[in-house]
Amino acid sequence: MRQVRSLAGYLTAQGVERGDRCVIFMDNTLVCAVSVYAVLSIGAVFVVVNPQTKQNKLAYILDDCGASALISDSHLHRVFTPLLKTAGRLKCVIASGDPSRLEATEVTPFEQALEGGVTELPPNGIQKDLAALIYTSGSTGDPKGVMHTHLSMTFALGSLIEYLRLSSEDRILLVLPLAFDYGLYQLLMSVQLGATLVMERSFTYPAVIFQRIREEKVTVFPGVPTIFSLLLSMYQREPFVFPSVTRVTNTAAALPAEHIPLLKKIFPNALIYKMYGLTECKRVCYLEPELIDVKPASVGKAIP
């Protein structure tokens, strides 16, 4: 919380105001999570962008949302630095990581941005204020920013926590990008609950993830069909099991019914949730896990 308030103070000192858009172009890290909450705490709007985004699409997003701030990682400097000359609305640019990699003098190292210490946060806004813009991938055209108010996001959090039967004792794995609403909500739910988030940059190295699941006694495993397909392929070569996991969730695309028997072997103590959503707008329906064998092709019912 101290880092959140320090970063919020720096953003405020640079002229970032309520309603301003702040683009967060970063890997899944603690710094990224701090940045999300710092932006929210001053009534600004966070826009998390996948770190694999190409320069032309990042340029489009910065311009489309009228970004007032850019928070990134120093190892991404070759992507964002050339854009600083044309991103005229930016009031500040901050980058975490090794400051010696930064080429532009106008980029403030993250640690330096925290040096001002904590600050009094401005008065809260209202529930209908915009909280986030989540951009589509733009695979079929220009990325489109989906608008989320504080009210819509807090409603969704309560609903997800209720039907997934989560508690503060849970330990939630995050291997999905925070720029993806499904990944983002793992962070938001963890903070809302006071649960533990086990954050990884990606699922690129499954063996490392498996070790982390065992070490941290992960209880919630959110995935997508590509991740589950890889899991099943590895299991068929050399079986493994994760008994600590009590919930497995899937969205983005339908979980094939034929995957379920093997997933039950990998996660013998887990309820398996099949969920469906609208593009960049979070989940809208789910199948009760007790019905997964009875109605394997069902889209379930509306979230609470």
Side-chain angles (χ1 to χ4, degrees):
M1 186 61 187
R2 184 179 181 85
Q3 287 191 349
V4 167
R5 295 184 66 179
S6 295
L7 181 57
Y10 181 82
L11 292 170
T12 300
Q14 300 306 305
V16 179
E17 301 174 337
R18 175 182 171 187
D20 280 356
R21 278 61 164 156
C22 299
V23 170
I24 302 171
F25 177 53
M26 309 183 86
D27 286 329
N28 280 12
T29 58
L30 176 60
V31 172
C32 184
V34 166
S35 300
V36 167
Y37 280 94
V39 171
L40 284 172
S41 68
I42 60 173
V45 180
F46 71 86
V47 187
V48 183
V49 177
N50 193 313
Q52 296 182 358
T53 299
K54 302 299 183 186
Q55 189 176 93
N56 63 326
K57 288 191 175 177
L58 176 61
Y60 176 85
I61 291 171
L62 289 169
D63 179 67
D64 184 64
C65 72
S68 294
L70 171 63
I71 307 173
S72 190
D73 293 321
S74 59
H75 71 85
L76 297 171
H77 70 98
R78 295 187 186 279
V79 181
F80 70 80
T81 299
L83 304 179
L84 302 185
K85 295 177 183 178
T86 55
R89 302 185 208 177
L90 287 175
K91 299 174 181 177
C92 64
V93 181
I94 304 167
S96 70
D98 183 0
S100 67
R101 304 177 74 170
L102 301 174
E103 298 173 351
T105 56
E106 62 266 39
V107 180
T108 302
F110 189 84
E111 291 301 321
Q112 183 179 324
L114 301 182
E115 289 176 357
V118 299
T119 184
E120 290 299 318
L121 299 180
N124 291 333
I126 61 174
Q127 288 187 315
K128 291 185 179 180
D129 281 347
L130 194 62
L133 287 171
I134 301 179
Y135 274 82
T136 61
S137 63
S139 56
T140 57
D142 290 329
K144 296 173 180 62
V146 179
M147 302 170 71
H148 297 264
T149 64
H150 289 272
L151 182 61
S152 73
M153 297 187 87
T154 53
F155 158 76
L157 283 174
S159 184
L160 295 170
I161 287 167
E162 177 183 329
Y163 80 73
L164 292 175
R165 311 171 198 178
L166 302 177
S167 77
S168 60
E169 301 301 313
D170 276 308
R171 305 176 70 82
I172 303 172
L173 179 68
L174 176 62
V175 295
L176 303 159
L178 285 165
F180 179 27
D181 66 302
Y182 187 27
L184 174 65
Y185 272 83
Q186 310 309 320
L187 166 64
L188 301 179
M189 288 190 298
S190 298
V191 173
Q192 178 87 350
L193 282 166
T196 300
L197 184 68
V198 181
M199 186 186 297
E200 294 292 332
R201 290 176 186 258
S202 69
F203 200 70
T204 304
Y205 303 103
V208 175
I209 304 299
F210 294 170
Q211 181 180 352
R212 198 77 72 239
I213 292 171
R214 296 186 178 101
E215 289 175 349
E216 301 294 341
K217 296 181 173 55
V218 164
T219 63
V220 183
F221 187 108
V224 293
T226 52
I227 287 177
F228 291 125
S229 294
L230 179 58
L231 274 179
L232 298 184
S233 175
M234 296 177 70
Y235 177 84
Q236 288 169 332
R237 293 197 300 270
E238 184 177 348
F240 50 86
V241 64
F242 300 116
S244 67
V245 176
T246 59
R247 257 100 25 163
V248 172
T249 66
N250 175 82
T251 190
L255 181 66
E258 59 269 23
H259 282 10
I260 295 168
L262 278 182
L263 285 177
K264 287 185 172 183
K265 292 183 178 181
I266 296 172
F267 304 102
N269 299 318
L271 298 172
I272 299 175
Y273 284 84
K274 295 182 70 172
M275 306 182 296
Y276 296 83
L278 303 174
T279 302
E280 272 64 43
C281 287
K282 79 189 72 67
R283 287 142 277 179
V284 295
C285 60
Y286 74 105
L287 181 67
E288 291 279 6
E290 289 82 3
L291 299 177
I292 199 163
D293 293 321
V294 181
K295 299 181 177 181
S298 173
V299 298
K301 62 183 181 180
I303 66 174

